Amino acid sequence: MLPGHYGRTVEIDLCGGCHLVWFDLSETARLTGPALLDLIGAMARTQDLPHLTLRPDAGCARCGATLKTVHNRSRWGRSLHLECRAGHGAYQSFAQFLQEKGLLRPLSLVDRARLLERHGHIDCVNCGAALGKGDEQCRYCGSVPSLLDVARLARALDPEGVLEPQAVHQDPARQEAMQCGACGAALPPGLSVDCAQCGATLAISRLGDAHERVATLGPALRAHAHKPAPEVVRRRLDALDADLPRRREFAAKMQAEADQRRGRGEVGDWGDLFSSGTNPLRAVLLALAIWFVWYFWG
Ligand SMILES: [Zn+2]
Ligand SMILES: [Zn+2]
Ligand SMILES: [Zn+2]
Ligand SMILES: [Zn+2]
């Protein structure tokens, strides 16, 4: 059980050996920063386990019903969406979860060479197994080799930008431009692992290393979730204010539609009241309405 937005708890099950995460329907979007951090930590810990293929008779984490495989071949590899037939939720691979959160980058040949040169190995972001230099997909879990983008991970953990800007937490627009997120230096084509200029690590293939890098944000994220800083509360209120005209417009439209229905005579003979010509009842109602307005707003 992990904290979700709006005070809800989100129930998440990890299947360690299979490197799958179960979400009840539409729960992934509701994870808070600290919950996402905990989940990534839990995923990283299961990567010490050798990868298993999900038992064919595995069932829904809620009702036990058989699962239907939703094949979805993307450039990120075999999709492992295993949905409950009764619609309770689905299992997906760690890599797919991270990809849906926008945290993965494709692993280029330049990146592979750099990782091998620096660390002597490339890890599967999904199951943690070692990848061969030219592997198109992980030999164990079938995931396409990819990298976890450190700056995007920091942003996903702290979408409101409440923590002090960190070297790992920079403008994502600059990341898209293939520049170093820490110093702004242009990166050679295909390289997204680290920056030759300032030495910052920009993307990581091992989930545990990525988690270690952002785990220091944990206490501040938890403190923020518990009691948001005043300027964050103000920003949220400003956002609500900006939304008010749209809400008023919506309410006015609903009212107009209701009036129109009434005007069509669906409620008794109210239609008569709005017709032209004098009507004693209308005069009385009008007077009442004016008194009412005067009484409450006068
Ligand atoms: Zn399993
Ligand atoms: Zn079910
Ligand atoms: Zn793998
Ligand atoms: Zn740099």
Side-chain angles (χ1 to χ4, degrees), residues 161-179:
V162 297
L163 307 184
E164 289 296 306
Q166 320 255 342
V168 293
H169 190 241
Q170 297 285 331
D171 187 358
R174 295 207 305 185
Q175 289 284 303
E176 303 302 339
M178 296 319 284
Q179 287 179 312

Side-chain angles (χ1 to χ4, degrees), residues 15-20 49-55 80 127 140-141:
C15 195
C18 306
H19 303 106
L20 293 174
L49 304 166
H51 183 72
L52 301 169
T53 310
L54 189 67
R55 291 192 336 264
L80 277 167
C127 76
Y140 301 91
C141 72

Side-chain angles (χ1 to χ4, degrees), residues 179-187 194-202:
Q179 287 179 312
C180 167
C183 75
L187 297 171
D194 54 16
C195 170
Q197 196 75 29
C198 72
T201 301
L202 306 173

Side-chain angles (χ1 to χ4, degrees), residues 26-37:
S26 80
E27 273 182 341
T28 64
R30 297 207 308 263
L31 279 181
T32 60
L36 180 60
L37 184 61

Side-chain angles (χ1 to χ4, degrees), residues 32-99:
T32 60
L36 180 60
L37 184 61
D38 289 349
L39 178 59
I40 288 177
M43 286 176 169
R45 282 190 294 277
T46 68
Q47 291 194 335
D48 295 334
L49 304 166
H51 183 72
L52 301 169
T53 310
L54 189 67
R55 291 192 336 264
D57 61 335
C60 165
R62 299 285 164 261
C63 72
T66 54
L67 301 166
K68 65 172 182 236
T69 313
V70 180
H71 286 287
N72 197 358
R73 204 169 241 289
S74 68
R75 70 191 180 110
W76 301 97
R78 235 172 24 214
S79 151
L80 277 167
H81 253 140
L82 296 163
E83 284 180 18
C84 164
R85 287 175 198 280
H88 289 113
Y91 281 111
Q92 62 186 155
S93 71
F94 295 176
Q96 195 178 13
F97 167 78
L98 298 168
Q99 190 263 317

